[in-house]
Amino acid sequence: MRVFAFSAVLLVSIAVLGGCESESSTSDAHRNAERTASDTLHITNAWVRPAPEGGVTALYLEVHNRRATADTLTRVDTPVSSRTELHTTVLHSNGTTGMRPLENGLPVPTDTTTRLRPGGPHVMVYDVQPALVIGDSVRVTLYFNAFERTLTAPVRPTPPQ
Amino acid sequence: MLLACTLTGLLALTGCTGNEADRIDDLSDASFELVNQDSTTVTFPDDFAGQALVVGYIYTQCPDICPMVTANMRQLRDRVDAPDDVAFITITFDPRRDTPERLRAYREAYGLGDTDWQFLTGDPDTISQLMERLDVRVELSRGSYDDDDYLIDHTDQISLVDPQQRVLFHYGGSMTPVDILAEDLATIRPAS
């Protein structure tokens, strides 16, 4: 199994959030006061689609923000590409579908699981070098305002069950 | 009897049965000269006469919806055990960038290199006419055709065409359950 180091970059600030799913959401000051140092932000279920050399792929994952403050995914870097963008998929009233850049990044509210998923928000990775084949793994680094996380994402054609 | 059409919220479906009056279109009078991933000329749909066709539409610079279309077709192919009387065909609507070489690499990346599943492209005018005929809308959403860096809004679609080259079904390509595709396909296969 090959392992590529990934890293990412995504611009952020606010705004257009396509497809965040909130498990729960609160700004309850009292609850925040009870938080402990174990509150954290972690990533699960990361995966990328296969891609030919020079092609594009998408990175999907889940961000669990258990911290007292909201954050924003601002950037993703990877050594398999010099260009990544945070996108979401949109469906138009005329029946067409397409991608739109999330210019302000992807908000990650507190006490929320934000899902980058097929048909929703995702990281678009351009000009992949070398090809990503099913069974490979790719390292990715996610940059948030307050954190960064590096992880390994398997290359697979469909989401993990 | 043909199964229900799935209208995935994306498509206005005009025909749900194989009855003559309910077909979406009849391609028996059509002939589009295309080229496959090996740079071999393919005349669509003539070269597939007598087969049921499962046709998907993609562009290889699409990392999200189009791979879901391909994955759905692949699951359908696995479900029906890749019979000889059914042809699985993917047609790009981005012929400027999707050369035969690029389609071949894409096909191999998705593990389809050892199959008879054909990926087709052609000159832009021919592809444009074919997409219009098959009810696939294609619109630039960012950039321009003058450079190599653009995004496309497009219909998310899989079509079923019977051995008489009648277009009987359009489905939402990325999300229609394989069970529905398989049941409808069974009704139009030559052996059925």
Side-chain angles (χ1 to χ4, degrees):
Chain A
M1 174 180 293
R2 291 182 288 170
V3 178
F4 304 112
F6 232 168
S7 182
V9 182
L10 301 173
L11 275 193
V12 180
S13 231
I14 214 188
V16 197
L17 184 71
C20 253
E21 296 175 26
S22 237
E23 289 177 339
S24 62
S25 182
T26 179
S27 58
D28 187 326
H30 178 69
R31 180 172 180 180
N32 288 344
E34 294 176 346
R35 289 179 183 278
T36 69
S38 64
D39 291 337
T40 187
L41 183 152
H42 67 280
I43 314 296
T44 60
N45 290 326
W47 63 287
V48 296
R49 295 188 184 281
E53 182 174 354
V56 299
T57 189
L59 165 69
Y60 304 101
L61 48 82
E62 295 177 354
V63 183
H64 309 271
N65 186 3
R66 299 292 175 260
R67 301 179 61 243
T69 57
D71 208 325
T72 302
L73 178 61
T74 60
R75 191 177 112 209
V76 179
D77 285 340
T78 173
V80 301
S81 173
S82 59
R83 181 186 178 194
T84 66
E85 292 179 356
L86 190 58
H87 284 184
T88 195
T89 292
V90 295
L91 174 63
H92 302 290
S93 58
N94 68 0
T96 61
T97 186
M99 295 177 293
R100 294 291 181 274
L102 295 173
E103 303 287 357
N104 297 315
L106 182 66
V108 180
T110 184
D111 271 340
T112 295
T113 295
T114 300
R115 294 184 172 86
L116 284 73
R117 53 178 169 68
H122 58 273
V123 180
M124 181 164 176
V125 183
Y126 289 86
D127 192 19
V128 170
Q129 303 288 343
L132 302 181
V133 179
I134 295 169
D136 289 346
S137 293
V138 173
R139 280 179 68 94
V140 294
T141 300
L142 312 175
Y143 294 90
F144 299 87
N145 283 334
F147 286 95
E148 65 178 67
R149 291 284 186 273
T150 297
L151 53 105
T152 300
V155 178
R156 45 183 303 142
T158 54
Q161 297 300 311
Chain B
M1 162 176 153
L2 294 176
L3 252 205
C5 293
T6 300
L7 184 38
T8 56
L10 299 177
L11 303 169
L13 193 43
T14 56
C16 291
T17 76
N19 296 333
E20 194 72 14
D22 293 330
R23 67 192 179 195
I24 297 172
D25 196 1
D26 185 344
L27 299 178
S28 61
D29 66 340
S31 185
F32 297 91
E33 188 165 307
L34 306 176
V35 60
N36 71 10
Q37 70 284 343
D38 299 319
S39 299
T40 300
T41 299
V42 173
T43 304
F44 180 89
D46 312 45
D47 286 356
F48 304 95
Q51 291 181 291
L53 310 184
V54 180
V55 187
Y57 315 92
I58 68 155
Y59 74 117
T60 65
Q61 296 294 299
C62 167
D64 190 40
I65 292 296
C66 299
M68 295 165 69
V69 174
T70 302
N72 222 9
M73 291 174 66
R74 181 174 182 160
Q75 288 180 25
L76 174 61
R77 186 175 181 276
D78 292 343
R79 176 73 60 87
V80 299
D81 202 22
D84 291 339
D85 59 353
V86 180
F88 285 79
I89 301 165
T90 296
I91 307 174
T92 179
F93 43 77
D94 184 17
R96 293 167 181 82
R97 293 186 295 193
D98 284 342
T99 61
E101 294 75 21
R102 187 169 277 189
L103 290 176
R104 184 170 63 249
Y106 183 90
R107 182 172 173 268
E108 290 173 356
Y110 278 85
L112 300 171
D114 294 332
T115 72
D116 56 4
W117 183 331
Q118 299 209 46
F119 281 63
L120 304 179
T121 186
D123 71 73
D125 286 344
T126 302
I127 291 293
S128 178
Q129 292 165 20
L130 178 56
M131 292 301 116
E132 184 173 355
R133 187 73 185 258
L134 291 167
D135 300 322
V136 176
R137 297 184 63 160
V138 179
E139 301 162 351
L140 275 181
S141 64
R142 186 177 79 177
S144 117
Y145 287 134
D146 293 334
D147 58 41
D148 200 44
D149 186 14
Y150 51 85
L151 297 176
I152 296 174
D153 287 349
H154 57 89
T155 306
D156 169 14
Q157 183 170 304
I158 291 173
S159 306
L160 290 189
V161 182
D162 75 4
Q164 290 73 48
Q165 302 179 338
R166 297 174 300 183
V167 181
L168 297 185
F169 301 97
H170 290 324
Y171 306 85
S174 65
M175 75 291 280
T176 299
V178 170
D179 287 348
I180 290 174
L181 297 171
E183 289 190 54
D184 287 347
L185 177 60
T187 65
I188 68 169
R189 287 176 57 182
S192 64

